[in-house]
Amino acid sequence: MSNTNKPLSGFQKRKKNLEKLLKEKELLRKVPKMDSFFASSRSNNLNVLVSNDCSEDNQPERVSEKEKSPQNLISENIITQNERSISDDPAKWVLDDATIEYLVLNGVKQNMDIDFSSSKRQYADTTRFLSLSLFSRKLPNGEIQPRPWLIFSKTKGTVFCAPCKLFKKSGSLSNDEGYNDWKNAGQRMKEHENSDDHRSACAKLLARKNAGGRIDERLVLQMEEEIKYWHEVLRRVVAVVRSLSARGLPFRGSEEKFGLRNSGNYIMSLELLAEFDPFLNIHIKRYGNKGSGTTSYLSSKVCDEIIDIMAKKVISTIVTEIRQAKYFSISIDSTPDISHVDQLSFIVRYVSKEGCPIERFIRFIPNCSHKAKDMATIVLQTLKNYDLDIANCRGQSYDNASNMSGAYSGLQARIKEVNSLAVFVPCSAHSLNLVGSCAAESCEAAISFFSNLQALYNFFSISTHRWGLLVSKLKPNSTVLKSLSQTRWSAQGDACKSLCISWIEIMEALKIIANDMSEKPSTRFEASGLLNCFGSLEMCFLTLMWNDVLERFNKVSKSLQSVDIGLGTVVELYHSLVTYLEGIREDGIFDIYESRAIELSGEQNYTYDLKRKPKRKVQFDEVKRNDTELSGRNRFRVTTYKVIIDRLITELQRRGTAYEKLSNKFDFLTKLNILNTQEVCEGAFNLKDFYPGDLDENIKNECLHLQAHLLSTEATKEKKMSSLELYKFILENGFIDIYPNIGISLRMLLSTPVSNCSAERSFSALKRIKNYLRSNTEEKRLTSLAVLYIESEVMQAVDYSEVIRSFAEQKARRVKIC
């Protein structure tokens, strides 16, 4: 006998629950719910909210949360073209209610901007195509009136009348094939637009657009009021998000509730805006702190979604500009963030339509290996993700690390294996820093100088008492001591400048501390050591010399960090530094530095002259020789001064060859007005041979023509123009169609970066966005905030309505019914 009370198994329970759920869904599907759509209208609510009377007691009662849910009103009202698969081609329209509703609400596209080659029709005597003039008509008074109802079909090569096709009127402009008798098109259009069928179709289309002529008038009006209400809420949210992200400010606080002091900048900005905005004030009072389950669009989740949407739109705009520019270059660099995650900054450089080179930040790539093979894979994959063709890459710029700049297995070599035209240009600013670093380590005296300079700063900065004493001795508006830096040589220049300007005051402060018996013996001993060190003639000489050299280096370094700088300018600046150093290497300049150092330090003798000279005992089998001993002055000039200058010159010349090699290929373009015909032709042929897929044989004739034009114009006859000035000259005068090969050459040159300073600047944004208080920021949010902060100029051009529409489409829960 079976046991009827035996418990059900797990599978049987799940099966029973599933059957129960299916029955409930079937029952709910059959229950009509039209009454929920006919709640009281929101028009009065919205008018009251935006009025001056903000009293909450005067507001009419709103409908329930389920009735007013914006997911069911805003989002479901937005039917995207992708969801309905509605084509811009009228020949592909499937004429059902959904298609007609979408085209009525969103309008039709006339396809006037596409190629009309498919409209070709062969007649007995000639071949005709669709003319753009057919999309407008001339009135008897001479005015031109467009024909918004006329649409071109690329697949059929014919035209259709949109209202007649939608409402299935008879005629050649509304059938399946369309109209393409271009010989008689003008007369046929006049007959059609004056026909009764066409007029009735247009009237029916206008009536369909007007909610007053619809059966579901109340429903449409209610939905429009809901859309308008939530659109106004989202406009304010988007404005706050844009303002905070453009300045790199944090959004969240420790609490996410209105009315609290630690609610964060996002809530604070909404509260501040609500003080002067009655609409937002009432909305926050009603829905601000209701918690989950209540739609308010003020939560941090909605904020994150809007940040992500805005970042995608900024990146989409940048990628579109890159594709339009065709040629681009890349620059990458990495740094660890506050949470010790290595972040790789990806920068793309291209030339805008206005002719200006632009460098844009694309994204941060976390946890990227430092191996060249892995980085090459990431670079190629990133370009592929954004649909950018590596074949259009014309340059790459990184720092001088071996894994990046290695000629055989570095990143630049691996990119060249894929695209040989992606020329590597080492960062010019970083190379200049390395020149200074090599010179600072060229001799013992130079190493000792910078070491003692840092020790001097540490001595005063470690104690507030000593620092206050130093500041009291300085003259008004004098610069205080500065610390050195391993990466920025502008810091070395500032440190040398502060010491050079305030030399006497600093020495006096050291003397006071060294002679102050109330100080600790170790402090007095350290001050005495620094005083003896900096009181020497050699140290004062090096301070004056390094101050002048680093001041020139800093000026050049700042110029090299500009986005607009070109290769030719880099070569000129490097040459100018070499010429400057060769000039100060002369003995006459050494004498000037020596006299200035004697006057400033008060010392007449070099330290070597004050030392006791050791004498070597001559052995019994050795002949005594009269060796000439160098004086302290000559010894310092030969072993220190000229060694430093020679190292600077040598390093500048060695590192400058990398820029000269590429600059020589394009150099003739900026010297057309001073070169002869043979030199211009040779330069044009060499450039064409280097870029055979981008330039053709006509570049020679274009260069000769442009040369003649420049020589015939007084304004440009003797003027030397940079590559950027020449390209803007061609664009502004409308010569780009006359000299297309020259325009392509200049675009490739201008898109080639000479430094990766934009990547370095993105690290500053990284440190601001992901600091110690926000160390747990997710990678997706970090990249989105970095894009909005770094490319705030592009973000400001993003329209509010586009962001809100994308947000609504993202929130849509519409299910397509087959």
Side-chain angles (χ1 to χ4, degrees):
M1 183 175 179
S2 61
N3 185 9
T4 57
N5 295 326
K6 183 178 179 179
L8 298 176
S9 65
F11 171 76
Q12 291 173 329
K13 289 181 179 179
R14 289 192 296 270
K15 183 179 179 181
K16 185 177 180 181
N17 291 335
L18 181 60
E19 292 175 352
K20 182 179 179 182
L21 182 62
L22 291 175
K23 289 180 180 179
E24 290 178 353
K25 285 187 176 181
E26 182 67 19
L27 180 62
L28 290 174
R29 188 179 66 82
K30 296 179 181 179
V31 175
K33 295 184 178 181
M34 286 297 293
D35 56 335
S36 63
F37 288 95
F38 292 96
S40 58
S41 176
R42 289 290 186 98
S43 57
N44 293 332
N45 262 357
L46 189 61
N47 293 333
V48 173
L49 285 174
V50 298
S51 65
N52 292 328
D53 186 8
C54 302
S55 175
E56 189 173 342
D57 298 333
N58 294 333
Q59 303 302 322
E61 290 295 322
R62 301 179 65 85
V63 294
S64 64
E65 295 298 326
K66 292 183 179 180
E67 292 172 346
K68 73 154 188 67
S69 175
Q71 282 88 347
N72 296 328
L73 291 169
I74 297 182
S75 303
E76 292 187 4
N77 189 56
I78 297 176
I79 306 176
T80 63
Q81 186 170 343
N82 292 332
E83 290 173 337
R84 291 298 183 186
S85 300
I86 298 174
S87 173
D88 292 332
D89 194 331
K92 297 181 179 179
W93 287 351
V94 179
L95 295 179
D96 54 9
D97 289 339
T99 302
I100 295 175
E101 184 70 16
Y102 175 83
L103 295 174
V104 166
L105 294 177
N106 297 277
V108 295
K109 186 177 180 181
Q110 293 186 269
N111 301 323
M112 299 168 55
D113 54 347
I114 63 177
D115 187 14
F116 291 159
S117 59
S118 62
S119 65
K120 178 181 178 181
R121 179 165 179 176
Q122 185 67 43
Y123 291 88
D125 54 343
T126 184
T127 301
R128 292 180 181 271
F129 295 86
L130 170 63
S131 174
L132 193 62
S133 61
L134 199 64
F135 289 89
S136 60
R137 65 172 178 172
K138 189 174 183 180
L139 299 179
N141 63 353
E143 295 180 351
I144 303 298
Q145 186 180 59
R147 288 178 171 138
W149 47 268
L150 191 64
I151 314 174
F152 173 65
S153 170
K154 187 175 182 180
T155 56
K156 296 289 186 180
T158 58
V159 292
F160 291 85
C161 175
C164 293
K165 186 169 181 62
L166 288 177
F167 299 107
K168 299 180 181 180
K169 299 294 183 179
S170 60
S172 58
L173 283 167
S174 58
N175 58 24
D176 294 337
E177 298 299 324
Y179 182 84
N180 66 342
D181 184 9
W182 312 127
K183 200 173 192 178
N184 307 303
Q187 183 62 29
R188 182 69 185 90
M189 294 301 116
K190 291 181 182 178
E191 295 174 356
H192 179 78
E193 59 193 358
N194 291 321
S195 64
D196 293 336
D197 286 343
H198 175 75
R199 287 172 176 170
S200 63
C202 292
K204 194 176 287 188
L205 180 66
L206 293 174
R208 188 74 177 262
K209 287 183 178 180
N210 184 12
R214 299 175 54 159
I215 297 177
D216 54 349
E217 176 182 353
R218 290 183 59 195
L219 176 61
V220 172
L221 291 176
Q222 182 181 348
M223 291 180 65
E224 288 179 353
E225 292 299 329
E226 288 289 345
I227 292 172
K228 184 177 180 182
Y229 178 86
W230 292 109
H231 188 278
E232 291 298 318
V233 174
L234 288 172
R235 281 187 71 250
R236 290 153 174 81
V237 173
V238 172
V240 171
V241 171
R242 188 167 73 169
S243 298
L244 293 177
S245 58
R247 292 157 180 81
L249 297 175
F251 281 75
R252 301 178 186 172
S254 56
E255 295 284 346
E256 295 184 16
K257 292 184 178 181
F258 289 90
L260 301 179
R261 294 180 56 187
N262 54 351
S263 56
N265 291 333
Y266 173 65
I267 300 297
M268 179 272 295
S269 300
L270 290 173
E271 289 177 335
L272 179 62
L273 189 62
E275 290 186 14
F276 308 95
D277 185 358
F279 174 82
L280 185 60
N281 189 8
I282 296 299
H283 182 76
I284 290 175
K285 286 181 179 180
R286 289 183 177 272
Y287 307 106
N289 291 330
K290 283 199 172 183
S292 61
T294 302
T295 302
S296 66
Y297 285 158
L298 303 178
S299 65
S300 59
K301 182 179 180 181
V302 172
C303 175
D304 291 343
E305 292 175 354
I306 291 177
I307 289 174
D308 183 57
I309 291 171
M310 293 177 69
K312 288 180 179 178
K313 290 193 173 295
V314 170
I315 291 297
S316 177
T317 302
I318 293 174
V319 171
T320 302
E321 291 180 357
I322 296 173
R323 291 173 187 161
Q324 292 174 352
K326 183 178 175 64
Y327 301 110
F328 64 90
S329 298
I330 59 174
S331 176
I332 65 172
D333 201 355
S334 64
T335 188
D337 59 22
I338 193 66
S339 58
H340 307 290
V341 176
D342 196 61
Q343 300 286 352
L344 185 72
S345 177
F346 197 98
I347 305 294
V348 177
R349 178 186 173 99
Y350 59 95
V351 181
S352 66
K353 294 184 295 184
E354 293 76 20
C356 298
I358 300 174
E359 294 181 358
R360 297 295 190 193
F361 171 81
I362 299 298
R363 61 168 303 179
F364 283 124
I365 305 174
N367 294 319
C368 176
S369 173
H370 286 186
K371 294 182 180 180
K373 181 180 179 181
D374 297 333
M375 284 193 293
T377 303
I378 288 177
V379 168
L380 297 176
Q381 185 61 43
T382 301
L383 293 176
K384 183 178 180 180
N385 292 340
Y386 292 106
D387 198 18
L388 298 176
D389 191 358
I390 185 63
N392 295 327
C393 182
R394 291 295 176 268
Q396 45 181 331
S397 179
Y398 321 116
D399 57 25
N400 290 269
S402 59
N403 62 334
M404 310 289 280
S405 61
Y408 301 103
S409 60
L411 174 60
Q412 63 100 358
R414 295 178 183 273
I415 297 296
K416 279 187 177 181
E417 292 177 359
V418 182
N419 179 13
S420 60
L421 299 180
V423 181
F424 170 62
V425 182
C427 178
S428 56
H430 188 263
S431 297
L432 194 63
N433 276 350
L434 293 179
V435 170
S437 299
C438 291
E441 299 173 357
S442 59
C443 61
E444 183 180 349
I447 297 173
S448 175
F449 170 76
F450 286 105
S451 177
N452 290 323
L453 187 59
Q454 182 64 36
L456 181 65
Y457 171 80
N458 294 340
F459 175 76
F460 282 103
S461 62
I462 201 172
S463 169
T464 56
H465 168 68
R466 299 175 209 168
W467 191 263
L469 176 63
L470 174 63
V471 172
S472 65
K473 291 294 181 182
L474 296 178
K475 297 178 182 178
N477 300 325
S478 297
T479 57
V480 295
L481 286 173
K482 305 290 185 181
S483 177
L484 303 182
S485 174
Q486 296 295 328
T487 56
R488 295 186 304 107
W489 268 77
S490 59
Q492 271 78 338
D494 294 339
C496 287
K497 183 178 180 180
S498 62
L499 177 60
C500 185
I501 293 176
S502 306
W503 178 277
I504 298 176
E505 291 80 4
I506 293 173
M507 295 302 109
E508 289 180 358
L510 288 174
K511 288 179 182 178
I512 293 174
I513 296 174
N515 297 326
D516 189 357
M517 300 305 296
S518 61
E519 295 285 352
K520 294 180 180 180
S522 59
T523 302
R524 288 187 284 112
F525 176 79
E526 190 175 354
S528 299
L530 290 172
L531 185 60
N532 293 334
C533 177
F534 283 94
S536 64
L537 180 60
E538 291 90 335
M539 191 64 71
C540 186
F541 186 103
L542 289 174
T543 301
L544 296 172
M545 183 204 72
W546 277 114
N547 179 54
D548 291 347
V549 171
L550 291 177
E551 190 268 338
R552 290 294 89 204
F553 269 57
N554 289 342
K555 295 290 185 181
V556 173
S557 180
K558 290 179 180 179
S559 299
L560 295 177
Q561 296 174 30
S562 173
V563 176
D564 297 337
I565 193 170
L567 273 171
T569 308
V570 173
V571 174
E572 292 176 359
L573 290 175
Y574 268 64
H575 282 173
S576 66
L577 283 178
V578 171
T579 305
Y580 166 75
L581 292 171
E582 289 175 347
I584 67 173
R585 190 182 184 277
E586 301 296 329
D587 293 338
I589 304 299
F590 179 85
D591 296 337
I592 294 175
Y593 278 130
E594 184 183 44
S595 61
R596 289 175 57 193
I598 292 174
E599 180 182 357
L600 187 60
S601 65
E603 291 289 336
Q604 298 288 336
N605 300 317
Y606 289 85
T607 305
Y608 183 80
D609 294 333
L610 301 177
K611 291 182 179 179
R612 177 177 175 274
K613 307 300 185 295
K615 294 183 179 181
R616 189 174 64 85
K617 181 180 180 181
V618 180
Q619 301 298 324
F620 69 94
D621 59 345
E622 185 180 1
V623 179
K624 186 176 182 181
R625 294 179 301 177
N626 293 325
D627 295 334
T628 303
E629 186 75 22
L630 290 176
S631 64
R633 180 180 186 275
N634 291 332
R635 187 182 182 87
F636 178 79
R637 180 171 58 86
V638 173
T639 62
T640 301
Y641 180 72
K642 290 197 173 182
V643 168
I644 295 174
I645 301 299
D646 289 343
R647 177 59 69 87
L648 288 170
I649 294 173
T650 304
E651 290 294 323
L652 280 172
Q653 291 174 342
R654 182 176 71 86
R655 297 186 181 276
T657 55
Y659 312 105
E660 293 178 7
K661 185 177 180 180
L662 181 60
S663 178
N664 290 337
K665 291 183 175 65
F666 298 89
D667 195 39
F668 74 98
L669 291 173
T670 60
K671 298 179 180 179
L672 290 175
N673 51 359
I674 61 176
L675 297 178
N676 56 44
T677 303
Q678 183 179 357
E679 291 173 333
V680 172
C681 292
E682 289 178 358
F685 282 127
N686 291 335
L687 190 61
K688 187 263 174 188
D689 292 339
F690 190 76
Y691 297 104
D694 300 300
L695 307 174
D696 56 29
E697 299 291 343
N698 293 326
I699 187 174
K700 183 199 73 171
N701 294 330
E702 292 179 14
C703 291
L704 295 177
H705 188 187
L706 181 59
Q707 181 187 39
H709 178 80
L710 294 175
L711 292 175
S712 63
T713 306
E714 290 295 331
T716 59
K717 185 176 182 180
E718 298 180 354
K719 179 183 178 182
K720 182 180 179 181
M721 291 189 291
S722 65
S723 56
L724 179 59
E725 292 173 337
L726 180 61
Y727 187 60
K728 286 188 174 181
F729 172 78
I730 293 175
L731 285 180
E732 291 171 358
N733 291 277
F735 296 154
I736 196 65
D737 295 330
I738 303 176
Y739 311 113
N741 284 282
I742 296 179
I744 292 173
S745 303
L746 292 174
R747 271 194 293 147
M748 291 190 293
L749 176 61
L750 292 174
S751 64
T752 304
V754 297
S755 70
N756 63 341
C757 294
S758 294
E760 298 284 349
R761 294 188 186 101
S762 68
F763 297 156
S764 300
L766 175 64
K767 302 293 191 241
R768 183 184 182 97
I769 296 171
K770 192 173 182 179
N771 53 30
Y772 74 99
L773 292 176
R774 293 183 280 174
S775 59
N776 294 327
T777 303
E778 297 179 354
E779 293 299 333
K780 182 179 179 181
R781 177 181 170 86
L782 172 63
T783 296
S784 298
L785 289 174
V787 168
L788 297 180
Y789 176 47
I790 297 172
E791 303 301 339
S792 58
E793 178 184 352
V794 181
M795 182 191 62
Q796 296 297 333
V798 176
D799 188 15
Y800 284 151
S801 300
E802 294 181 6
V803 177
I804 296 173
R805 181 177 180 82
S806 298
F807 176 78
E809 292 176 358
Q810 183 174 304
K811 286 290 187 181
R813 298 177 180 176
R814 180 180 296 272
V815 179
K816 186 175 181 180
I817 302 175
C818 300

